[in-house]
Amino acid sequence: MREAIVAGGLACRIGQCLLGLLLLGPAASPVQAEETAAGTKRLTFLDHESNPLQRATAEILTSAYERMSIEVVVEFFPLRRSAAVVNAGQYDGELFRVAGAEKKFPNLRMVPTPLGENDFAAFAVRAEVKPTSWASLQPLRVGAQLGVMQVEKRTQGMNVVFEPTLDSAFKLLKLGQVDVVVASRMTACEHLVRLRGSDAGYAGIREVGVLESVPIYHYLNANHADLIPRLDEELKRLTSNGYIAAVWRKASISGRCER
């Protein structure tokens, strides 16, 4: 069962209606749990774009919820605002975040079993730029995407330029306006492969090291807290039978910087 995207009343499969998503933008009206024509429950979760992390977590959650007779729908929404609208009850949950989102957004409930790990990596052009930890970024000009909570937390007090998209952060790096870009490794690599295909100027950008590996978790609005015990059991089952590991092995192929 593949996840669908719904935007402004248009339903489609991931990768088949990105243009429609861009034209329609985020849905203006609240999206809450609803029943399908078959009588099953449908939940709508948010993420900001199609990338290896999004596709892997959507596949895992689709399998887990399917055993609970719940259909999963994924809608793309600006990263900076997604947690806030889920917190307000306008959507059913977030596909994934790192632990701690509930401290800032009290109506979010974290499902305890992790979906996997997110590697945060540094990317640079100059050979002498080789950060090995968050602290080693201190003397550098850093570029990053706005709304990535872990990056915002780890780079507090540093010289950081936050851009609305990862592509625009990489453009700053290409132009020499920042020394390094920090981002989710698999997501950044997929962006880089695409950018290199259309502009040779990105060929010099390389991954220079993983700064941190962080578990990622599924979040639900508090209205769906009753689903967490059963969902957590399903995620534990998918962990123990090797399904989740297999999904991440597949995702790691599309998340390579060199192809």
Side-chain angles (χ1 to χ4, degrees), residues 96-132:
F96 69 91
R97 287 272 185 180
V98 298
E102 66 277 13
K103 295 177 182 177
K104 186 174 181 180
F105 300 98
N107 289 329
L108 298 188
R109 298 291 183 269
M110 188 183 83
V111 181
T113 297
L115 300 174
E117 285 195 341
N118 188 4
D119 293 337
F120 288 94
F123 298 82
V125 174
R126 303 199 324 267
E128 68 272 19
V129 178
K130 297 179 180 178
T132 57

Short mmCIF file of all heavy atoms in Angstrom, two decimals, residues 96-132:
data_model
loop_
_atom_site.label_atom_id
_atom_site.label_comp_id
_atom_site.label_asym_id
_atom_site.label_seq_id
_atom_site.Cartn_x
_atom_site.Cartn_y
_atom_site.Cartn_z
N PHE A 96 7.54 12.68 10.92
CA PHE A 96 8.62 12.42 11.87
C PHE A 96 9.26 13.72 12.31
O PHE A 96 9.23 14.73 11.61
CB PHE A 96 9.68 11.49 11.26
CG PHE A 96 10.49 12.13 10.15
CD1 PHE A 96 11.68 12.80 10.43
CD2 PHE A 96 10.07 12.06 8.84
CE1 PHE A 96 12.42 13.39 9.43
CE2 PHE A 96 10.81 12.65 7.82
CZ PHE A 96 11.98 13.32 8.11
N ARG A 97 9.84 13.67 13.48
CA ARG A 97 10.67 14.73 14.05
C ARG A 97 11.66 14.06 15.00
O ARG A 97 11.49 12.91 15.37
CB ARG A 97 9.84 15.74 14.86
CG ARG A 97 8.97 16.68 14.05
CD ARG A 97 9.70 17.93 13.64
NE ARG A 97 8.83 18.89 12.95
CZ ARG A 97 9.25 20.05 12.49
NH1 ARG A 97 10.51 20.42 12.65
NH2 ARG A 97 8.42 20.86 11.88
N VAL A 98 12.66 14.81 15.43
CA VAL A 98 13.53 14.32 16.49
C VAL A 98 12.80 14.49 17.82
O VAL A 98 11.82 15.24 17.91
CB VAL A 98 14.89 15.06 16.52
CG1 VAL A 98 15.64 14.85 15.21
CG2 VAL A 98 14.69 16.54 16.80
N ALA A 99 13.25 13.80 18.84
CA ALA A 99 12.62 13.90 20.16
C ALA A 99 12.73 15.33 20.68
O ALA A 99 13.69 16.04 20.40
CB ALA A 99 13.29 12.94 21.13
N GLY A 100 11.73 15.74 21.44
CA GLY A 100 11.75 17.06 22.05
C GLY A 100 10.80 18.06 21.44
O GLY A 100 10.61 19.15 22.00
N ALA A 101 10.18 17.72 20.31
CA ALA A 101 9.26 18.67 19.67
C ALA A 101 8.09 19.00 20.59
O ALA A 101 7.54 20.11 20.55
CB ALA A 101 8.74 18.09 18.35
N GLU A 102 7.73 18.04 21.46
CA GLU A 102 6.59 18.26 22.36
C GLU A 102 6.88 19.31 23.42
O GLU A 102 5.95 19.85 24.04
CB GLU A 102 6.19 16.94 23.02
CG GLU A 102 7.21 16.36 23.98
CD GLU A 102 8.31 15.56 23.31
OE1 GLU A 102 8.47 15.63 22.07
OE2 GLU A 102 9.04 14.86 24.04
N LYS A 103 8.15 19.64 23.64
CA LYS A 103 8.48 20.67 24.62
C LYS A 103 8.07 22.06 24.12
O LYS A 103 7.66 22.91 24.91
CB LYS A 103 9.98 20.65 24.91
CG LYS A 103 10.45 19.37 25.58
CD LYS A 103 11.95 19.36 25.78
CE LYS A 103 12.42 18.05 26.41
NZ LYS A 103 13.89 18.00 26.55
N LYS A 104 8.17 22.25 22.83
CA LYS A 104 7.78 23.53 22.23
C LYS A 104 6.32 23.52 21.80
O LYS A 104 5.66 24.56 21.80
CB LYS A 104 8.68 23.83 21.03
CG LYS A 104 8.45 25.19 20.41
CD LYS A 104 9.47 25.47 19.31
CE LYS A 104 9.27 26.86 18.70
NZ LYS A 104 10.27 27.13 17.63
N PHE A 105 5.82 22.33 21.45
CA PHE A 105 4.44 22.19 20.96
C PHE A 105 3.72 21.18 21.85
O PHE A 105 3.75 19.97 21.59
CB PHE A 105 4.44 21.76 19.50
CG PHE A 105 5.14 22.73 18.59
CD1 PHE A 105 6.46 22.51 18.20
CD2 PHE A 105 4.50 23.87 18.14
CE1 PHE A 105 7.11 23.40 17.37
CE2 PHE A 105 5.15 24.77 17.31
CZ PHE A 105 6.46 24.54 16.92
N PRO A 106 3.05 21.63 22.91
CA PRO A 106 2.53 20.73 23.95
C PRO A 106 1.41 19.80 23.52
O PRO A 106 1.11 18.84 24.23
CB PRO A 106 2.04 21.70 25.04
CG PRO A 106 1.82 23.00 24.33
CD PRO A 106 2.84 23.05 23.25
N ASN A 107 0.79 20.05 22.37
CA ASN A 107 -0.27 19.15 21.91
C ASN A 107 0.26 18.05 21.00
O ASN A 107 -0.53 17.28 20.44
CB ASN A 107 -1.36 19.94 21.17
CG ASN A 107 -2.18 20.79 22.12
OD1 ASN A 107 -2.37 20.44 23.28
ND2 ASN A 107 -2.65 21.93 21.64
N LEU A 108 1.57 17.95 20.85
CA LEU A 108 2.16 16.86 20.08
C LEU A 108 2.47 15.70 21.03
O LEU A 108 2.93 15.91 22.15
CB LEU A 108 3.44 17.31 19.38
CG LEU A 108 3.33 18.42 18.34
CD1 LEU A 108 4.67 18.59 17.61
CD2 LEU A 108 2.22 18.14 17.34
N ARG A 109 2.23 14.48 20.55
CA ARG A 109 2.51 13.28 21.33
C ARG A 109 3.46 12.39 20.53
O ARG A 109 3.15 12.00 19.40
CB ARG A 109 1.23 12.52 21.66
CG ARG A 109 0.24 13.32 22.50
CD ARG A 109 0.76 13.53 23.92
NE ARG A 109 -0.22 14.23 24.75
CZ ARG A 109 -0.27 15.55 24.88
NH1 ARG A 109 0.59 16.32 24.21
NH2 ARG A 109 -1.18 16.11 25.65
N MET A 110 4.59 12.04 21.12
CA MET A 110 5.59 11.23 20.43
C MET A 110 5.32 9.74 20.62
O MET A 110 5.04 9.29 21.73
CB MET A 110 6.99 11.57 20.98
CG MET A 110 8.13 10.92 20.22
SD MET A 110 9.74 11.30 20.98
CE MET A 110 9.78 10.03 22.26
N VAL A 111 5.38 8.99 19.54
CA VAL A 111 5.28 7.53 19.62
C VAL A 111 6.66 7.01 20.02
O VAL A 111 7.66 7.31 19.35
CB VAL A 111 4.84 6.94 18.27
CG1 VAL A 111 4.72 5.42 18.37
CG2 VAL A 111 3.50 7.55 17.84
N PRO A 112 6.78 6.24 21.10
CA PRO A 112 8.10 5.95 21.70
C PRO A 112 9.09 5.18 20.83
O PRO A 112 10.30 5.41 20.93
CB PRO A 112 7.73 5.13 22.95
CG PRO A 112 6.33 5.49 23.27
CD PRO A 112 5.67 5.75 21.95
N THR A 113 8.62 4.26 20.00
CA THR A 113 9.55 3.46 19.20
C THR A 113 10.06 4.29 18.02
O THR A 113 9.26 4.78 17.22
CB THR A 113 8.89 2.18 18.69
OG1 THR A 113 8.51 1.38 19.81
CG2 THR A 113 9.83 1.39 17.80
N PRO A 114 11.38 4.44 17.88
CA PRO A 114 11.90 5.26 16.77
C PRO A 114 11.65 4.61 15.41
O PRO A 114 11.61 3.39 15.29
CB PRO A 114 13.40 5.36 17.07
CG PRO A 114 13.69 4.18 17.94
CD PRO A 114 12.45 3.92 18.74
N LEU A 115 11.48 5.47 14.41
CA LEU A 115 11.31 5.00 13.03
C LEU A 115 12.65 4.70 12.38
O LEU A 115 12.72 3.99 11.37
CB LEU A 115 10.58 6.06 12.20
CG LEU A 115 9.19 6.45 12.68
CD1 LEU A 115 8.65 7.61 11.84
CD2 LEU A 115 8.24 5.26 12.62
N GLY A 116 13.71 5.26 12.93
CA GLY A 116 15.05 5.09 12.37
C GLY A 116 15.95 6.17 12.92
O GLY A 116 15.66 6.75 13.98
N GLU A 117 17.03 6.47 12.21
CA GLU A 117 17.95 7.52 12.61
C GLU A 117 18.18 8.49 11.46
O GLU A 117 18.16 8.10 10.29
CB GLU A 117 19.30 6.94 13.06
CG GLU A 117 19.25 6.29 14.42
CD GLU A 117 20.64 6.05 14.99
OE1 GLU A 117 21.62 6.06 14.21
OE2 GLU A 117 20.74 5.87 16.22
N ASN A 118 18.38 9.74 11.83
CA ASN A 118 18.67 10.79 10.86
C ASN A 118 20.11 11.25 11.07
O ASN A 118 20.45 11.74 12.15
CB ASN A 118 17.70 11.96 11.03
CG ASN A 118 17.82 12.99 9.94
OD1 ASN A 118 18.58 12.82 8.99
ND2 ASN A 118 17.06 14.07 10.06
N ASP A 119 20.95 11.09 10.05
CA ASP A 119 22.33 11.57 10.12
C ASP A 119 22.39 13.02 9.67
O ASP A 119 22.00 13.34 8.54
CB ASP A 119 23.24 10.73 9.22
CG ASP A 119 23.40 9.30 9.70
OD1 ASP A 119 23.18 9.06 10.90
OD2 ASP A 119 23.73 8.44 8.86
N PHE A 120 22.88 13.89 10.54
CA PHE A 120 23.09 15.28 10.17
C PHE A 120 24.54 15.44 9.73
O PHE A 120 25.47 15.12 10.47
CB PHE A 120 22.77 16.22 11.33
CG PHE A 120 21.30 16.32 11.60
CD1 PHE A 120 20.69 15.50 12.54
CD2 PHE A 120 20.51 17.21 10.89
CE1 PHE A 120 19.33 15.57 12.78
CE2 PHE A 120 19.14 17.30 11.12
CZ PHE A 120 18.55 16.48 12.06
N ALA A 121 24.73 15.92 8.50
CA ALA A 121 26.06 15.98 7.90
C ALA A 121 26.41 17.40 7.48
O ALA A 121 25.54 18.27 7.34
CB ALA A 121 26.14 15.05 6.69
N ALA A 122 27.70 17.61 7.28
CA ALA A 122 28.21 18.90 6.81
C ALA A 122 28.67 18.75 5.36
O ALA A 122 29.21 17.71 4.97
CB ALA A 122 29.37 19.36 7.68
N PHE A 123 28.45 19.80 4.58
CA PHE A 123 28.83 19.83 3.17
C PHE A 123 29.63 21.10 2.91
O PHE A 123 29.28 22.17 3.41
CB PHE A 123 27.58 19.80 2.28
CG PHE A 123 26.77 18.54 2.45
CD1 PHE A 123 25.87 18.42 3.51
CD2 PHE A 123 26.91 17.48 1.58
CE1 PHE A 123 25.13 17.26 3.68
CE2 PHE A 123 26.18 16.31 1.74
CZ PHE A 123 25.29 16.20 2.80
N ALA A 124 30.72 20.96 2.14
CA ALA A 124 31.60 22.11 1.93
C ALA A 124 32.23 22.02 0.54
O ALA A 124 32.12 21.01 -0.16
CB ALA A 124 32.69 22.15 3.00
N VAL A 125 32.90 23.11 0.16
CA VAL A 125 33.64 23.18 -1.10
C VAL A 125 35.14 23.19 -0.83
O VAL A 125 35.89 22.42 -1.42
CB VAL A 125 33.24 24.44 -1.91
CG1 VAL A 125 34.13 24.58 -3.15
CG2 VAL A 125 31.77 24.37 -2.30
N ARG A 126 35.58 24.04 0.09
CA ARG A 126 37.00 24.19 0.36
C ARG A 126 37.56 22.97 1.09
O ARG A 126 36.95 22.48 2.05
CB ARG A 126 37.27 25.45 1.18
CG ARG A 126 36.75 26.72 0.51
CD ARG A 126 37.40 27.99 1.06
NE ARG A 126 37.69 27.95 2.48
CZ ARG A 126 36.89 28.40 3.43
NH1 ARG A 126 35.69 28.89 3.10
NH2 ARG A 126 37.25 28.37 4.70
N ALA A 127 38.72 22.50 0.66
CA ALA A 127 39.31 21.27 1.21
C ALA A 127 39.64 21.39 2.69
O ALA A 127 39.60 20.40 3.42
CB ALA A 127 40.57 20.91 0.43
N GLU A 128 39.95 22.61 3.14
CA GLU A 128 40.35 22.77 4.55
C GLU A 128 39.16 22.79 5.51
O GLU A 128 39.33 22.75 6.73
CB GLU A 128 41.16 24.06 4.72
CG GLU A 128 40.39 25.36 4.52
CD GLU A 128 40.37 25.82 3.07
OE1 GLU A 128 40.63 24.99 2.17
OE2 GLU A 128 40.09 27.01 2.84
N VAL A 129 37.95 22.84 4.98
CA VAL A 129 36.75 22.85 5.83
C VAL A 129 36.35 21.40 6.11
O VAL A 129 35.82 20.71 5.25
CB VAL A 129 35.59 23.61 5.16
CG1 VAL A 129 34.35 23.56 6.05
CG2 VAL A 129 35.99 25.05 4.89
N LYS A 130 36.64 20.94 7.33
CA LYS A 130 36.38 19.55 7.69
C LYS A 130 35.80 19.47 9.10
O LYS A 130 36.44 18.93 10.02
CB LYS A 130 37.66 18.72 7.60
CG LYS A 130 38.24 18.62 6.19
CD LYS A 130 39.52 17.80 6.19
CE LYS A 130 40.11 17.70 4.79
NZ LYS A 130 41.39 16.93 4.78
N PRO A 131 34.61 19.99 9.34
CA PRO A 131 34.03 19.92 10.68
C PRO A 131 33.74 18.48 11.08
O PRO A 131 33.32 17.67 10.25
CB PRO A 131 32.74 20.74 10.55
CG PRO A 131 32.40 20.67 9.10
CD PRO A 131 33.71 20.63 8.37
N THR A 132 33.97 18.17 12.33
CA THR A 132 33.76 16.81 12.83
C THR A 132 32.70 16.76 13.93
O THR A 132 32.36 15.68 14.41
CB THR A 132 35.07 16.23 13.38
OG1 THR A 132 35.58 17.11 14.40
CG2 THR A 132 36.11 16.09 12.27
#
